[in-house]
Amino acid sequence: MFFEKRWVMIVCIGFFLVSFSTSIYFAISNDSTGYVIKVLAERSFPFENIILEGIPGLAGPEQVKIDQLRKQAAGIGMFLLTGVNISDARTYFLGYFAPPRDGPYWLGWAYNPQDPEMEGANIEPIENYVPAEPAPAKNDEDILVGIYHTHNSENYTGDDSGRKDHADGQGDVVAVGKALAETLNKKGIGTVHNTDINDKEFMSAYSRSINSAQKLLKENPTIRILIDLHRDGLPPEVGKGVVRLEDKNMAKILFVVGQKNPHWEKNNQLVKKIIGVGQQKYPGLFSQNPNYALQARYNQHLSNGAVLLEVGSQLNSPEEALNSVEPLAEVLKECLKQ
């Protein structure tokens, strides 16, 4: 029995190493080595678990540490190599993966927490959909930014408050949206915030949030940037993304671009513009590589200025997420000025 378990363990470790080595090979061959190194460094992958595995004579405390590292490696390894998030049951199915446009050509890097969301059969086809150009802004009171939430219930749990990942109703992410709207308005950027609850039935949330997005655009035709504000969802083993700026811990900001949209390149141009300004003003706050979802659109077909923006993940604290609001607002203001 002992040798059978050891044999199974060796096979599993061997498969993991072969898969990992293959992924690195494809990453290097596709000129994305720097991206691989960057992500691995950010995720603190526990290579020591692989090195120490199977060494005889370990004391009790050492063995406990190795067991903890093994669980951590399993969570991170599954996330990186297959895109499966053990904290998100939707990712257990291959239908939730899409090949990336940029970066390494293997499954793990294509993972998006909402990729692709079930947008519902009642949404019109968009093969020939042409979004309307925003109306000219005539005065300082015209609305330039609209904010809504497809997943209103998303919470931040990194403050050890005991709150759940999702609230019954409005979650912490809505408070972040409110703070962003208030901050932009104080900076002279007319902003409206829609708080319609869209995720009572989580898997069909986009069937509802499209109504919120269309309502914002119809009532405020001068909107230049339409933000679907979320927070990310990550395996606990991966760890949260935080950057220290202005003596504050801030949640990192990530953009997701839906490519099931004939005009996705225009949305992508805006995203790249925001990231570029953000990198100049607040280095490290914005993830430099957006996530691309080949089989999703995230309502971005409605406007060439529509973006899906994730402020941190459930592993961040509400304070870290709110600390990111001021610099995010400043970057959006700068982009609108340009």
Side-chain angles (χ1 to χ4, degrees):
M1 183 65 68
F2 173 79
F3 291 105
E4 289 180 359
K5 290 183 178 180
R6 178 61 63 179
W7 181 82
V8 171
M9 186 177 297
I10 291 173
V11 170
C12 291
I13 293 173
F15 175 77
F16 175 84
L17 290 174
V18 169
S19 300
F20 187 79
S21 301
T22 302
S23 67
I24 294 296
Y25 168 76
F26 279 110
I28 293 173
S29 64
N30 284 282
D31 196 26
S32 50
T33 314
Y35 185 52
V36 172
I37 295 172
K38 179 177 181 293
V39 172
L40 291 178
E42 287 180 350
R43 302 312 187 197
S44 301
F45 193 85
F47 292 103
E48 61 270 33
N49 174 52
I50 299 173
I51 297 172
L52 296 176
E53 176 63 46
I55 294 180
L58 290 176
E62 293 171 323
Q63 188 61 55
V64 170
K65 179 182 178 181
I66 298 305
D67 290 340
Q68 291 174 343
L69 286 171
R70 184 183 300 119
K71 293 178 181 178
Q72 184 183 9
I76 299 177
M78 185 180 297
F79 175 70
L80 290 178
L81 292 173
T82 69
V84 172
N85 177 356
I86 60 176
S87 299
D88 189 345
R90 293 173 295 166
T91 66
Y92 298 168
F93 305 95
L94 288 178
Y96 284 93
F97 304 112
R101 286 274 181 173
D102 303 305
Y105 289 88
W106 55 297
L107 196 57
W109 301 119
Y111 168 73
N112 294 300
Q114 298 108 330
D115 175 26
E117 191 68 68
M118 291 178 61
E119 298 187 271
N122 62 330
I123 298 180
E124 75 284 355
I126 61 170
E127 285 76 10
N128 299 313
Y129 189 97
V130 179
E133 289 293 325
K138 298 179 180 179
N139 55 61
D140 293 340
E141 296 180 357
D142 284 330
I143 302 300
L144 302 182
V145 177
I147 303 170
Y148 71 102
H149 307 274
T150 296
H151 296 149
N152 305 67
S153 65
E154 291 176 331
N155 268 339
Y156 296 96
T157 63
D159 58 353
D160 298 323
S161 63
R163 61 164 56 83
K164 297 180 180 178
D165 285 356
H166 292 270
D168 294 326
Q170 306 287 16
D172 297 329
V173 73
V174 178
V176 175
K178 178 182 177 182
L180 178 59
E182 291 175 348
T183 304
L184 283 167
N185 280 314
K186 289 179 182 178
K187 293 179 180 292
I189 305 298
T191 303
V192 288
H193 182 210
N194 178 289
T195 59
D196 293 343
I197 295 178
N198 296 306
D199 61 347
K200 286 184 178 180
E201 295 180 11
F202 196 83
M203 294 302 290
S204 59
Y206 281 91
S207 295
R208 294 169 179 78
S209 69
I210 189 173
N211 298 319
S212 300
Q214 288 176 323
K215 180 180 178 182
L216 283 170
L217 292 171
K218 182 178 180 180
E219 295 179 352
N220 308 278
T222 54
I223 283 179
R224 301 294 194 272
I225 301 178
L226 179 65
I227 299 173
D228 184 7
L229 200 152
H230 296 247
R231 58 106 175 112
D232 205 347
L234 295 174
E237 295 83 3
V238 171
K240 63 183 178 181
V242 175
V243 60
R244 185 76 175 176
L245 294 171
E246 301 175 351
D247 294 325
K248 296 179 182 178
N249 286 333
M250 300 182 182
K252 297 192 68 171
I253 297 170
L254 172 71
F255 286 92
V256 180
V257 177
Q259 294 175 303
K260 195 175 182 181
N261 168 12
H263 307 283
W264 73 269
E265 292 94 342
K266 293 186 178 180
N267 302 87
N268 192 46
Q269 287 174 4
L270 174 60
V271 166
K272 290 295 186 69
K273 179 179 180 180
I274 295 172
I275 291 174
V277 173
Q279 182 63 12
Q280 290 178 356
K281 297 178 72 69
Y282 305 98
L285 179 61
F286 292 79
S287 294
Q288 296 302 290
N289 296 284
N291 276 356
Y292 293 95
L294 188 63
Q295 297 298 324
R297 63 190 186 222
Y298 306 123
N299 302 332
Q300 291 168 10
H301 65 293
L302 297 177
S303 167
N304 291 332
V307 298
L308 193 160
L309 188 157
E310 296 182 338
V311 180
S313 73
Q314 87 280 14
L315 304 176
N316 288 102
S317 68
E319 180 182 10
E320 291 167 345
L322 289 171
N323 286 343
S324 300
V325 165
E326 172 66 29
L328 173 58
E330 189 62 30
V331 169
L332 293 176
K333 177 183 177 181
E334 181 67 24
C335 288
L336 287 166
K337 284 172 57 179
Q338 294 179 6

